[in-house]
Amino acid sequence: MLPSSTRPFPELYQHFKHKEKTCQLATIYGYKRILQDLLPTEDWKKAVWKDGAANIDEHSNGVGYGFDKSALDFVRHGEVMNEVQRWFLEETRLGIPVDFTNEGIRGLAHPYATNFPSQLGLGAAFDRDLVRRVGEITGQEGRALGYTNIYSPILDVVRDPRWGRTEECYGEEPYLVGELGVQQVLGLQSQGVAATVKHYAAYSTPHGGRDGNARTDPQIPFRDMHEILMEPFRKAFMEAHAMGTMSSYNSYNGEPVTGSSYFLNDLLRGEYGFKGYVVSDSGAVTRLHRQHDVAKDFNAATAMAVNAGLNVRTSFKPMSQYVNALRVGLRRGMIEEAVVDARVRDVLRVKFALGLFDAPYVDPQAAPAIVRTQASQAVALEAARKSIVLLKNDNHTLPLDSKRLKTVLVTGPVADDYRALVNRYGPMKSDLVTPLTGLKAYLKDDAEVLYAKGADFTDARFPESDVFKLNPNAAEKKMLDEAIALAQKSDVIIAVVGDDHSTVGEARSRTTLDLPGHQELLVREMVKTGKPVIVVLMGGRAASINWIDRYVPGILAAWHGGEASGTALAEVLFGDYNPGGKLPITFPRSVGQIPMAVPYRSGAWSGQSKKVDPNGFGSTRAVDPLYSFGYGLSYTQFEYGGVKVEPAKPRIEQSITVSCRVKNVGQRAGDEVVQLYVKDVLASIVPFEQVLRGFERVSLKPGESKTVQFTINPMRDLKMMDINNKWGVEPGDFDVRIGASSTDIKQRAQFTLVN
């Protein structure tokens, strides 16, 4: 067994043999995924991991068929993890501890961990402190149950909302994604676990939004790739010092990321200074020869990935497959031993940093007092509240008055389906409050709450129905008629529509942004009754709800809000909580407008000329989006004034302070997300129309005002990639815009940056 970490690191490494080195570069996929044993058996001494392993992924986290539920008990869970760790410490020759990895996108991937809103919902909250606390709780719960490395956050920037994984991302704007991602990393790592950010790199703009087996070259230029897609990763590595990252399936400009020394070495370790270890997304190595056609077989793919910079292959395949390929590569000279040594040192460095050599075990008895406490549930409720966005409120339709209602109809496929509120990469069985149960609990005996599903998430012809609408079949019409009959008896109708795992998520890209199935038809029929209708969008992407926007007076976007979804929704609908969320993605009117995401280069969203002009004359297209990035209403009103920029002529190395006064001039307390945008007036490269460079969510009582202050660091916030693809800051004039959304600008100012 190796001595403790008090011995010098190089001295420890000299004990390794080739078999043990290769085992430190591979993952054992956990119980009921690949590993068939919850606890060590005698057969383990014959398995490839008798020589150790880099990590064990998703062990005992409840994902898999026929799972032993007794192992999910918090105390038993810690005991299981300790017993497995003890085997590696005592039964392998070197006694190297394993790194227990697990997912954690909306809370820890354990059935009974705290269930937070989707990352898209958290993006809508525009609240750094909230995301930091979500990260802390996720890391704390993970560590209490024995996990030492959490695959979170997702730092992909959504540029095409048809993409299935839109719901798992903070939004479309790189500054927003980067700022929230940094907080999630800091929160996780403050609890003694590593944050492995994903999906590195250039993953989120596949052709036509397609994913699944179509994970290939993204449609984005080199400069935009760096300034938009890579910016959140740069921040996570350079500012938050994330200890892990996951290499993605896709290629960029014909070069597969998992086989790219540019992405995995030059950029990641060189420019970004990454000191952790890289795991592959499942199957990313195999795709080098089975999809990307750059390696003749799996042995060649393995050598390509390791030489490029991959540390650990993680896959839904036996560990032995990859370890054997590594050993073949070493024997045949396809991989130099020095390269393997470098990759293993990265893995060991993280294990030392996590304290696994000194404190490899957890205290199982402590877990029940740590996992899903009342305090963490309170944060989940706060997050659900803050994520809700008020999209429309004509004639002050909202909030509803419970004293004036006798009967409320709740309808729609998301109204009482818990599956839409959970995710394979987060908790799956926490106590969930659906919209229906939340409204029943809120109204109690004040009003009768009726329920009819009205429509499924999809119809019988989906996805064909996305391009060719037909009337409902007999079963679908019966479901619709049941909702219509109950609507006639109701004082108000709350239609909860959107997505579940059949329409959004990994490998669930869409052809259109319209509501799937007969969901819009359900809303149309509800409006036809003449009763007041409120539409609640509980989805995972932007939705082109043009008819609903035209004819429904009250619309909320509530995303997938986690375990407290129904409670938060009821509080917002009836005015106990004033919604203050903002859209983290643009809502196009049609997929024909895509790409339509901020930031965009000057002139990219220009309209058509109103005079005779051979280069732009005509009125042939819808120009503006349905809802802009950063948009969101409130039950109160806010007034902006007194913008100041100091100094007016800052030097490049000097910080700039921008301040603005915001006042609540309405009758209710509420939150406003104050947004700072900056425009480079003249640049050597066509600049972005404007870029988000600050946001602050402020809570104000009626009549209360607050001065919101932002700091711009030119070297961080005003840098651009020049004509030679080099980073730099160009002197000149910059416009400052402060507003309630990317298009609702309230105050303007300017400063001149000088050398």
Side-chain angles (χ1 to χ4, degrees):
M1 183 181 298
L2 280 176
S4 77
S5 60
T6 56
R7 297 287 296 276
F9 185 80
E11 183 178 336
L12 300 182
Y13 191 69
Q14 69 184 5
H15 294 264
F16 280 78
K17 297 178 180 179
H18 283 174
K19 288 186 176 181
E20 290 153 337
K21 291 178 182 179
T22 53
C23 282
Q24 288 299 317
L25 300 181
T27 292
I28 305 172
Y29 228 104
Y31 182 52
K32 292 298 182 182
R33 304 294 283 178
I34 291 295
L35 190 63
Q36 295 304 304
D37 308 308
L38 181 64
L39 296 171
T41 68
E42 283 298 313
D43 288 339
W44 282 30
K45 294 182 180 180
K46 303 173 187 176
V48 67
W49 56 84
K50 69 182 183 301
D51 295 312
N55 55 38
I56 303 180
D57 192 29
E58 296 196 84
H59 191 59
S60 193
N61 74 344
V63 177
Y65 299 99
F67 193 81
D68 181 359
K69 294 183 179 179
S70 66
L72 298 175
D73 174 82
F74 295 155
V75 173
R76 178 60 179 151
H77 195 284
E79 293 172 345
V80 166
M81 303 296 263
N82 282 348
E83 195 166 337
V84 173
Q85 186 71 280
R86 185 174 292 107
W87 189 91
F88 281 92
L89 292 171
E90 297 179 359
E91 299 296 334
T92 64
R93 188 181 74 90
L94 296 178
I96 303 293
V98 291
D99 186 12
F100 285 107
T101 59
N102 196 8
E103 301 287 351
I105 299 307
R106 54 172 76 174
L108 183 73
H110 180 284
Y112 303 108
T114 309
N115 185 344
F116 297 103
S118 65
Q119 280 199 191
L120 194 61
L122 290 174
F126 277 78
D127 190 325
R128 292 178 182 85
D129 176 69
L130 173 65
V131 173
R132 174 68 176 259
R133 286 181 283 136
V134 168
E136 290 172 349
I137 292 168
T138 303
Q140 187 179 54
E141 294 186 349
R143 195 68 187 88
L145 293 175
Y147 299 107
T148 48
N149 193 324
I150 307 299
Y151 291 169
S152 175
I154 288 179
L155 295 180
D156 300 315
V157 180
V158 177
R159 304 301 288 178
D160 186 336
R162 290 174 294 183
W163 186 49
R165 304 197 82 163
T166 295
E167 67 160 346
E168 298 175 356
C169 306
Y170 289 123
E172 72 184 26
E173 214 288 336
Y175 182 87
L176 174 67
V177 176
E179 292 293 293
L180 298 184
V182 163
Q183 295 305 314
Q184 176 78 350
V185 171
L186 292 173
L188 284 166
Q189 296 192 164
S190 71
Q191 302 305 306
V193 301
T196 291
V197 300
K198 56 185 188 176
H199 304 87
Y200 181 88
Y203 178 69
S204 55
T205 56
H207 285 274
R210 296 187 289 271
D211 56 359
N213 292 328
R215 295 172 170 123
T216 54
D217 281 8
Q219 296 177 298
I220 192 165
F222 181 82
R223 187 174 287 108
D224 285 3
M225 184 267 286
H226 277 280
E227 294 188 337
I228 295 175
L229 300 189
M230 300 309 300
E231 180 62 11
F233 288 96
R234 184 198 67 78
K235 284 185 174 180
F237 297 133
M238 299 187 72
E239 298 180 16
H241 307 292
M243 299 170 72
T245 192
M246 179 181 288
S247 69
S248 55
Y249 294 116
N250 60 283
S251 56
Y252 177 77
N253 195 27
E255 187 174 5
V257 170
T258 297
S260 169
S261 60
Y262 172 74
F263 281 106
L264 300 187
N265 265 327
D266 300 349
L267 190 60
L268 180 63
R269 293 179 170 96
E271 184 174 330
Y272 296 159
F274 178 69
K275 299 297 183 184
Y277 74 85
V278 183
V279 300
S280 70
D281 206 341
S282 182
V285 175
T286 304
R287 285 174 186 262
L288 295 177
H289 75 98
R290 288 192 175 173
Q291 178 182 16
H292 299 304
D293 299 329
V294 295
K296 66 178 182 178
D297 55 26
F298 186 68
N299 290 338
T302 297
M304 175 180 288
V306 174
N307 288 327
L310 180 69
N311 294 101
V312 176
R313 197 283 292 259
T314 298
S315 181
F316 301 110
K317 300 292 181 182
M319 176 183 172
S320 57
Q321 179 194 61
Y322 187 66
V323 169
N324 290 336
L326 285 170
R327 292 170 182 174
V328 168
L330 277 168
R331 286 198 307 270
R332 295 179 181 177
M334 301 161 67
I335 309 170
E336 296 291 335
E337 185 168 357
V339 171
V340 171
D341 291 348
R343 303 294 177 259
V344 173
R345 284 191 173 95
D346 291 339
V347 175
L348 294 179
R349 186 184 303 112
V350 171
K351 291 183 178 183
F352 273 100
L354 293 173
L356 289 177
F357 285 89
D358 294 321
Y361 304 117
V362 296
D363 177 5
Q365 301 301 323
I370 296 173
V371 182
R372 201 164 179 273
T373 63
Q374 288 186 349
S376 65
Q377 292 175 59
V379 175
L381 175 58
E382 177 188 350
R385 290 167 173 159
K386 286 185 171 180
S387 70
I388 295 176
V389 183
L390 178 61
L391 297 177
K392 187 179 178 183
N393 194 21
D394 280 4
N395 302 316
H396 302 289
T397 300
L398 293 170
L400 300 172
D401 186 349
S402 61
K403 296 178 181 179
R404 297 186 177 183
L405 300 175
K406 293 183 179 180
T407 308
V408 176
L409 172 63
V410 184
T411 187
V414 204
D416 196 36
D417 192 331
Y418 83 93
R419 293 171 299 175
L421 307 180
V422 298
N423 183 274
R424 176 257 180 276
Y425 296 110
M428 295 289 288
K429 294 184 182 298
S430 304
D431 293 334
L432 295 162
V433 181
T434 67
L436 178 63
T437 54
L439 285 163
K440 283 184 174 180
Y442 182 89
L443 290 171
K444 298 179 182 176
D445 298 326
D446 291 344
E448 182 182 9
V449 178
L450 306 177
Y451 168 70
K453 191 173 185 181
D456 282 320
F457 288 98
T458 60
D459 59 25
R461 299 178 181 87
F462 182 82
E464 180 190 26
S465 57
D466 271 356
V467 294
F468 186 58
K469 291 290 184 184
L470 293 173
N471 292 329
N473 62 27
E476 292 165 345
K477 188 174 188 306
K478 180 181 178 182
M479 191 183 305
L480 185 62
D481 288 343
E482 289 172 352
I484 294 171
L486 290 181
Q488 304 290 351
K489 306 175 183 178
S490 303
D491 297 317
V492 67
I493 301 164
I494 299 171
V496 192
V497 295
D499 295 304
D500 74 345
H501 301 311
S502 67
T503 59
V504 75
E506 187 171 14
R508 296 292 188 271
S509 57
R510 293 279 310 284
T511 304
T512 176
L513 295 179
D514 297 340
L515 291 174
H518 295 303
Q519 295 187 64
E520 183 179 299
L521 177 61
L522 171 64
V523 176
R524 286 173 180 255
E525 292 297 325
M526 296 298 99
V527 171
K528 195 182 296 184
T529 66
K531 301 298 180 71
V533 177
I534 307 300
V535 167
V536 179
L537 299 175
M538 296 190 75
R541 55 165 59 87
S544 295
I545 53 167
N546 297 287
W547 191 94
I548 292 173
D549 178 71
R550 175 69 63 87
Y551 295 106
V552 174
I555 307 172
L556 292 165
W559 320 105
H560 292 145
E563 64 182 58
S565 293
T567 303
L569 178 60
E571 291 174 348
V572 168
L573 286 169
F574 289 95
D576 287 5
Y577 186 83
N578 187 351
K582 302 283 187 173
L583 289 182
I585 51 175
T586 301
F587 276 43
R589 295 181 182 276
S590 163
V591 293
Q593 294 178 299
I594 294 172
M596 181 169 260
V598 300
Y600 54 89
R601 302 281 175 184
S602 293
W605 286 16
S606 296
Q608 293 174 281
S609 176
K610 298 185 184 303
K611 61 182 180 179
V612 176
D613 181 350
N615 295 314
F617 173 69
S619 298
T620 58
R621 60 185 172 90
V623 175
D624 297 323
L626 183 62
Y627 306 118
S628 301
F629 172 85
Y631 170 82
L633 304 175
S634 172
Y635 296 156
T636 190
Q637 299 82 43
F638 299 94
E639 182 180 87
Y640 288 66
V643 63
K644 294 181 180 178
V645 179
E646 296 175 328
K649 292 187 176 181
R651 299 184 304 276
I652 287 176
E653 68 277 7
Q654 190 174 9
S655 292
I656 305 160
T657 299
V658 180
S659 60
C660 179
R661 188 183 68 257
V662 182
K663 183 177 182 180
N664 183 345
V665 294
Q667 302 301 311
R668 290 176 176 265
D671 290 0
E672 175 70 327
V673 177
V674 184
Q675 301 161 48
L676 169 68
Y677 296 89
V678 176
K679 169 71 165 71
D680 193 344
V681 175
L682 181 67
S684 60
I685 290 292
V686 176
F688 291 110
E689 181 61 37
Q690 62 183 16
V691 289
L692 182 69
R693 285 299 179 264
F695 59 88
E696 193 70 31
R697 183 167 181 145
V698 294
S699 299
L700 297 172
K701 298 175 183 177
E704 183 182 5
S705 64
K706 181 178 180 179
T707 297
V708 180
Q709 183 171 296
F710 303 99
T711 299
I712 297 174
N713 181 339
M715 299 300 291
R716 176 186 190 261
D717 300 321
L718 302 180
K719 69 183 190 310
M720 59 174 286
M721 189 168 273
D722 66 18
I723 193 69
N724 297 312
N725 293 330
K726 302 294 184 184
W727 288 105
V729 179
E730 295 185 353
D733 294 333
F734 289 82
D735 286 339
V736 172
R737 305 166 183 177
I738 296 180
S741 79
S742 59
T743 54
D744 186 10
I745 302 300
K746 305 291 189 180
Q747 294 284 296
R748 296 174 182 266
Q750 192 174 79
F751 64 86
T752 301
L753 195 64
V754 298
N755 279 320

